[in-house]
Amino acid sequence: MTARSPIAPPTLRPLPRLASRLVPLLALGSACAMDLPISERIADVRPLAVRVEVLDPFAMPDAAVRTEALPIETILVRPLFVDEVEPFTPERIEAEIEPLWLACPLQPIQGIFACLSNHLPLTLDAIEECPPVDLGALDPGSGELPAMPAPCRITGGTPSEPTMQVPLDFNFFLGGDLEITMIGHRPEVDATTEDCAAALLSEQPLSRDCLYTVQRASIGPDGRILRLAADAGFEGLDQLGPVPDEDQIADPDTNPRIQTMRVVVTDETVRRDDLLRVLAEGPVVDVARGDSLEVHAGQTLVIETTAPEEDLQTYFIPTDDDAYEERQESFVGDWFRTWGTLLSNDSDDAVSYNTWQMVPGEQDDAQSELPPDGRATLYYVLRDDRQGVDWWWFHVQVIP
């Protein structure tokens, strides 16, 4: 690996045109059927989220799982792929999508896919495997820091849930993160993952037979990285900004936790103002992840989902005057369905409400009162406004 001095930061370039074109193309390549469905309707194979988890052997069992990692720690990448029937198991992802994963260090001002796009065109065989961290090669007194291969192939873990040791890279001392790119193909198509990789890496038009996702993996907290580097004796850190005191270092970003999903099934058409009344009158059913309920066509499910308020973290961002400004996270929830009618497609509270009516929704077959095979699925994806994410889903068997 080559080395660079922290006294001479690399040039921070604006997001190139290629990246700004390809990011929406990646989304289209991931979600298109022959006709693009509305955002909340699952009509084909589609990635809904990618969750990054820090594998911390010392974490408490009931603690929120960290999504922000320090260099040398190991992260696990967990994707949520779904189709019009159910979420993919890890075994299905590996067998039917056959994903490969790339990592690339993002500079602080870059958006996702900017790192990989800056290195294109490439061939897949020219991309080396992400190496483990070699602590013996570090010399704090030299004033130099290593640079990871950019990009590199993630080969740890499994193809469906890869793991990698976070490298030491100069960009992380500037506040940068890791860009994680997945390349795969749709099930039962002629295209292979290698075909899809070749098209992306050679900047060719992307096929609808291919699946791509790009996710930012947070590296930090930034203040903790600078503090550790200063304590280790690395020189030239004053060129990177102030090294914060311990009380200015925020806790690492964690994934939010969906705690409950409660449902009341009713024959009435429920307006927004009636949600709390229907839930209070019950009977309430606690629905676990992956549960299945039996309901009649035309009935309405009134849904309440909760996440702990304490999962909304406080964090610090640097300001122009070398100080730090305190920020508070917020929640963003997205609802998806394979069939039926939702009252709302999004939410922004720790306690969120929705209704799911068992009648054909937009783009459903209006000639049938039942979903295909009589079964429909609802997904709820909860994010904080950094990189944390969690999800929940359940099925309903709709009978006439």
Side-chain angles (χ1 to χ4, degrees):
M1 294 189 297
T2 59
R4 285 184 282 192
S5 168
I7 299 178
T11 302
L12 299 183
R13 294 182 290 171
L15 191 66
R17 289 184 179 181
L18 177 62
S20 63
R21 287 201 308 267
L22 275 180
V23 169
L25 284 177
L26 288 172
L28 290 175
S30 300
C32 277
M34 292 306 294
D35 296 304
L36 187 67
I38 53 177
S39 61
E40 74 272 16
R41 184 172 183 266
I42 306 299
D44 200 355
V45 179
R46 180 174 172 186
L48 292 188
V50 176
R51 176 180 163 107
V52 176
E53 300 179 1
V54 179
L55 300 182
D56 184 356
F58 304 106
M60 298 299 292
D62 58 347
V65 177
R66 281 194 291 137
T67 189
E68 187 172 29
L70 289 167
I72 307 177
E73 291 188 310
T74 299
I75 59 173
L76 179 145
V77 183
R78 193 188 306 276
L80 173 62
F81 280 93
V82 304
D83 61 16
E84 65 275 20
V85 177
E86 60 189 357
F88 277 48
T89 63
E91 293 76 17
R92 279 192 69 193
I93 293 174
E94 183 169 346
E96 300 180 29
I97 297 176
E98 300 180 298
L100 67 85
W101 300 81
L102 305 177
C104 202
L106 280 170
Q107 297 174 7
I109 65 170
Q110 290 181 314
I112 57 173
F113 200 65
C115 181
L116 181 59
S117 67
N118 276 347
H119 293 84
L120 300 183
L122 281 173
T123 59
L124 188 58
D125 58 6
I127 301 177
E128 63 181 280
E129 294 183 3
C130 299
V133 176
D134 182 7
L135 294 177
L138 292 179
D139 180 8
S142 69
E144 295 184 340
L145 291 170
M148 65 176 285
C152 62
R153 289 186 63 165
I154 304 174
T155 56
T158 66
S160 58
E161 295 184 344
T163 62
M164 73 171 294
Q165 186 180 27
V166 177
L168 291 165
D169 189 271
F170 181 79
N171 287 285
F172 304 151
F173 287 78
L174 299 174
D177 294 317
L178 263 182
E179 173 188 279
I180 307 292
T181 302
M182 188 226 74
I183 305 172
H185 64 85
R186 292 184 176 279
E188 301 178 354
V189 297
D190 292 334
T192 66
T193 294
E194 288 71 22
D195 295 333
C196 296
L200 178 66
L201 297 176
S202 62
E203 304 175 277
Q204 299 300 310
L206 303 182
S207 168
R208 293 187 179 186
D209 290 342
C210 298
L211 292 166
Y212 305 96
T213 67
V214 186
Q215 173 71 22
R216 180 187 296 270
S218 292
I219 308 302
D222 298 338
R224 176 61 59 197
I225 293 178
L226 289 176
R227 183 79 266 166
L228 291 173
D231 293 343
F234 278 97
E235 299 178 358
L237 293 175
D238 56 328
Q239 302 294 320
L240 305 180
V243 177
D245 298 329
E246 284 293 333
D247 60 357
Q248 294 177 314
I249 300 175
D251 293 332
D253 186 18
T254 60
N255 288 293
R257 294 168 290 181
I258 303 172
Q259 289 186 314
T260 63
M261 184 76 73
R262 303 169 69 238
V263 173
V264 171
V265 181
T266 177
D267 291 329
E268 66 176 290
T269 299
V270 181
R271 299 176 302 177
R272 192 180 299 271
D273 293 343
D274 296 327
L275 293 172
L276 296 181
R277 174 186 61 80
V278 174
L279 285 165
E281 293 175 354
V284 175
V285 178
D286 288 309
V287 182
R289 283 182 175 90
D291 267 0
S292 184
L293 304 179
E294 187 175 276
V295 300
H296 288 276
Q299 288 188 310
T300 297
L301 284 70
V302 180
I303 305 166
E304 176 196 76
T305 179
T306 61
E309 289 276 3
E310 57 266 27
D311 282 1
L312 293 173
Q313 298 174 274
T314 298
Y315 60 99
F316 299 93
I317 61 171
T319 60
D320 292 338
D321 56 357
D322 290 339
Y324 287 85
E325 178 182 327
E326 187 174 289
R327 293 284 181 88
Q328 178 76 25
E329 284 183 339
S330 59
F331 282 142
V332 178
D334 292 299
W335 300 82
F336 305 91
R337 49 86 179 175
T338 61
W339 184 88
T341 300
L342 293 171
L343 176 65
S344 176
N345 301 330
D346 52 55
S347 57
D348 59 4
D349 294 314
V351 181
S352 296
Y353 304 95
N354 210 341
T355 68
W356 186 22
Q357 192 173 10
M358 296 297 102
V359 298
E362 187 177 353
Q363 295 187 352
D364 291 335
D365 181 5
Q367 303 303 314
S368 175
E369 68 171 0
L370 301 178
D373 298 324
R375 192 167 89 150
T377 303
L378 183 76
Y379 300 95
Y380 178 63
V381 177
L382 178 67
R383 306 175 191 273
D384 59 36
D385 55 354
R386 291 195 283 172
Q387 301 304 316
V389 64
D390 196 13
W391 53 74
W392 203 285
W393 77 96
F394 67 91
H395 313 284
V396 292
Q397 194 69 35
V398 186
I399 57 179

